[in-house]
Amino acid sequence: MTIFASDLDNTLIYSYKHDIGMRKRNVEIYQSREISFVTDRTHSLLEKVKEKAIFVPVTTRSIEQYKRIDFGIGKIKYALTCNGGVLLVDGEKDSDWYEESKRIAEQSLCELQKGISILEKDANRKFEIRFIENLFVFTKCENPSETIENLKSQLDCTLAEVFSNGEKIYILPKKLDKGSAVKRFKEMMDAKKIISAGDSEFDIPMLEASDIALIPSDFHWQLNDSIPRILKNDDETVFSDFILENVLKALE
């Protein structure tokens, strides 16, 4: 069996701010607003992929944020949330997986707590500091590049990684990433192959853990040459459509 592991935001789903054309459908409602969409073609193709592979969303979203999404293709049995730290099975947290994630993150705990202390004093911060599932730290800042530089200068980069996504700031345990998560999931499922898709720095470990990696045209990070096959969307196709078209070809 093949696993199709995919990031969500800007990979399979797109916010209302992103132009994906008129033929689209809503997949997420928040505070009575339609905020995320997929193309009609993505919806159709994802139904077919789900029949031929183990589809597992792999996202930095929290459990609550993930559960807002409804692709309209029936139950999705597995999902890796919280950057892979939490496995949902039929919508419920897998306790064994979570305990193992906490064990992996434990060696980085002092650095995460140190990061929280730094953020508490950061004048750039404009949002509360959240310790998501006791696995990683999240907040928002006015000047993220300055905050990132400050955190990186004070934290042990061998134990914790710092990322930004726009105004969002994340401090994550070094060994708890999407790549280690999909490897654990592959072993758990006794799967033979991983096909993955992602668009950001968060996704690099997952892409590098895959047999086939799909990336957008503007992906500017360097990937390991050991990945057997890398497919880059160099045409005008919406990235999610490109992903699923190529996943189906690979599953033939």
Side-chain angles (χ1 to χ4, degrees):
M1 181 61 77
T2 297
I3 293 168
F4 169 49
S6 182
D7 175 51
L8 290 176
D9 295 278
N10 297 315
T11 299
L12 286 186
I13 70 175
Y14 300 89
S15 83
Y16 63 93
K17 300 175 183 178
H18 194 117
D19 182 13
I20 57 172
M22 297 297 292
R23 295 184 176 182
K24 62 184 179 181
R25 61 177 62 206
N26 175 250
V27 293
E28 182 181 11
I29 295 174
Y30 179 59
Q31 295 181 342
S32 302
R33 295 185 300 116
E34 295 184 341
I35 63 170
S36 296
F37 297 83
V38 297
T39 68
D40 286 345
R41 180 150 180 76
T42 286
H43 175 265
S44 174
L45 293 171
L46 191 57
E47 283 188 302
K48 295 176 182 177
V49 168
K50 185 169 169 274
E51 293 173 358
K52 296 184 176 184
I54 302 171
F55 169 46
V56 54
V58 186
T59 178
T60 308
R61 284 179 176 235
S62 67
I63 298 170
E64 179 185 7
Q65 290 169 332
Y66 169 74
K67 286 187 173 183
R68 295 200 301 250
I69 299 169
D70 181 3
F71 283 104
I73 59 170
K75 181 176 70 176
I76 297 172
K77 187 170 183 64
Y78 302 105
L80 286 164
T81 66
C82 304
N83 212 49
V86 173
L87 171 66
L88 300 181
V89 182
D90 294 326
E92 299 298 322
K93 185 193 289 187
D94 184 289
S95 58
D96 290 339
W97 183 282
Y98 180 54
E99 290 304 317
E100 176 66 11
S101 294
K102 287 198 296 182
R103 186 193 66 76
I104 294 169
E106 188 174 9
Q107 61 186 299
S108 302
L109 189 58
C110 288
E111 292 306 301
L112 299 182
Q113 291 171 338
K114 183 178 178 181
I116 290 172
S117 297
I118 294 168
L119 289 171
E120 285 174 341
K121 303 168 187 174
D122 191 337
N124 284 318
R125 186 168 59 83
K126 64 174 186 177
F127 190 72
E128 65 186 359
I129 302 168
R130 294 180 179 176
F131 197 8
I132 308 296
E133 298 290 335
N134 294 314
L135 294 175
F136 67 91
V137 179
F138 168 80
T139 191
K140 298 179 183 178
C141 291
E142 292 284 359
N143 189 340
S145 59
E146 186 175 291
T147 297
I148 289 287
E149 185 178 349
N150 185 35
L151 286 166
K152 285 185 175 181
S153 69
Q154 297 187 62
L155 297 180
D156 184 344
C157 64
T158 66
L159 295 174
E161 293 191 286
V162 184
F163 295 101
S164 66
N165 184 358
E167 64 184 6
K168 299 174 183 177
I169 302 290
Y170 300 83
I171 309 173
L172 300 115
K174 183 74 173 181
K175 293 187 178 180
L176 194 70
D177 57 38
K178 291 185 179 185
S180 61
V182 296
K183 288 177 184 177
R184 288 166 63 191
F185 187 71
K186 180 184 180 183
E187 183 177 350
M188 185 184 90
M189 301 302 294
D190 193 25
K192 302 301 180 187
K193 181 185 291 187
I194 298 173
I195 303 173
S196 71
D199 74 299
S200 73
E201 192 173 7
F202 290 98
D203 301 315
I204 291 174
M206 176 174 68
L207 295 166
E208 293 184 336
S210 305
D211 299 279
I212 302 174
L214 297 111
I215 56 176
S217 58
D218 60 352
F219 193 88
H220 59 268
W221 294 276
Q222 185 67 40
L223 291 174
N224 195 312
D225 292 337
S226 64
I227 303 172
R229 192 176 176 200
I230 300 173
L231 300 176
K232 190 171 187 178
N233 182 22
D234 287 326
D235 57 30
E236 296 300 316
T237 307
V238 175
F239 183 41
S240 59
D241 293 352
F242 167 84
I243 291 166
L244 296 170
E245 287 167 1
N246 282 280
V247 170
L248 282 173
K249 288 179 184 176
L251 292 171
E252 288 178 352

